[in-house]
Amino acid sequence: MRDGVDASTELPRDRLARAARELAGLRAAPGREALPIGIVVPVYNDWEAFRHLVQAIEAVCEAQNLTAEVIVVDDGSWQSGDETLRTIGDTAPRIHLRCATLVTNLGHQRAIAVGLTVAHAHAASYRAVIVMDGDGEDRPEHIPYLLETSAAHPDAIVCVRRGRRFEGARFALGYGLFKAFFLLGTGKTIDFGHYCVIPPRALARLVHSPALWSHFAATLLRSGLPLHRVRLDRGRRYAGRSSMNLTGLIRHGLNAIAVFEDVCLVRLLIALGLFSGGLVAALIAVVAIRFCTDMAVPGWATSAAGLLLVALLQAALLALASAAAHLNRRSLSEVVPAREAERFLVPRADPAQRMSHPVRQAAPEEAAPDEAPSQAATREEARWKAAS
């Protein structure tokens, strides 16, 4: 029996009609392609540029029949972005905003880490997760191409290598030096930035990595996940000026190298070992010249041997101090974004805008929202009298 009708008495045309309805239902069932894309965007006071960015993402979604959830991470901005967020909510029907406000300015890399933690909490509802800067230099027009590339390499993180750039010569020189020192210290090449597409199932591995708290791109290299690089030109800022300066660039480079601290330590110890071997060989040569030949100038051997011994002692002390510092840090508790990110988020009343935070209940001594100030003061006074 099916819906009260005997299947044996069902007419052929009825069976065909029922099969057509079932096939239509299967076609209409939401699949992976119907899921929205998650986009993590850190913002620090740059709300005008962020508004232009979301408008551009909305245009791309409209042209490609996509929907997107933009996880905007307010990195402790002192300028309010409420008006911008309201405008976006009213004018971008294909964009849903999920706001994550940090209690203080943590910096660009840690804001990305918090945003990825928020995305991980909703990973099952995303087709893919994109990380991009909010100033327009990561061009939204590239999103369809990146999604196609990600679909062709479903197990890999698609990273964007920078083509043409619009920064000045000083920044280009500093960035080139950073890449050279990174290669020297780690033996790896970091040739991509923040703009990437991450498969949702890879988020768990990233947000449980302590390195994500220091540097996003270096964490991708360190994660062991497959990376697929594509080369795209960088865009121009929508508004304002970049806050990156020489100090910030140096700090950014040091944080990237810190992700490979153990690798750098091993390479440093090897270099110090080779250097110390050279010093020992030079010391043996000085002794041989002093006692086996007549070439030594009076006092020369003593001075040369003393300098070589001092250099050898400094190399040994540097090796011991570096190893001890590394071992000491290994004994300390590390910050894991999946565990610590929630501590830096401002609680919100709307559960849809938060990463499953429980709504904070008012403490017994707090006044109820509809309680008059005079009643609250009277109750507070009575409590202090009872305590005394």
Side-chain angles (χ1 to χ4, degrees), residues 107-172:
H108 196 71
Q109 302 302 307
R110 294 179 179 181
I112 291 176
V114 174
L116 289 177
T117 305
V118 176
H120 173 246
H122 304 86
S125 61
Y126 297 136
R127 169 185 171 185
V129 175
I130 298 175
V131 178
M132 61 191 308
D133 291 337
D135 52 13
E137 294 183 357
D138 294 337
R139 298 168 60 184
E141 308 91 88
H142 294 152
I143 288 178
Y145 171 71
L146 293 176
L147 291 176
E148 291 177 3
T149 307
S150 178
H153 302 83
D155 296 326
I157 298 176
V158 179
C159 305
V160 175
R161 297 175 57 192
R162 299 306 184 190
R164 187 176 55 161
R165 307 179 69 104
F166 297 97
E167 295 90 351
R170 288 192 302 174
F171 182 89

Side-chain angles (χ1 to χ4, degrees), residues 267-290:
R267 293 171 70 89
L268 175 63
L269 293 178
I270 292 174
L272 289 174
L274 295 175
F275 179 69
S276 299
L279 292 177
V280 172
L283 185 60
I284 293 174
V286 168
V287 173
I289 292 173
R290 170 65 180 82

Side-chain angles (χ1 to χ4, degrees), residues 5 11 51-52 75 79 109 135 142 211 214 230-231 285 370 372:
V5 179
L11 296 177
R51 181 176 64 83
H52 288 292
D75 189 17
Q79 294 179 357
Q109 302 302 307
D135 52 13
H142 294 152
S214 297
V230 295
R231 185 179 180 88
D370 56 349

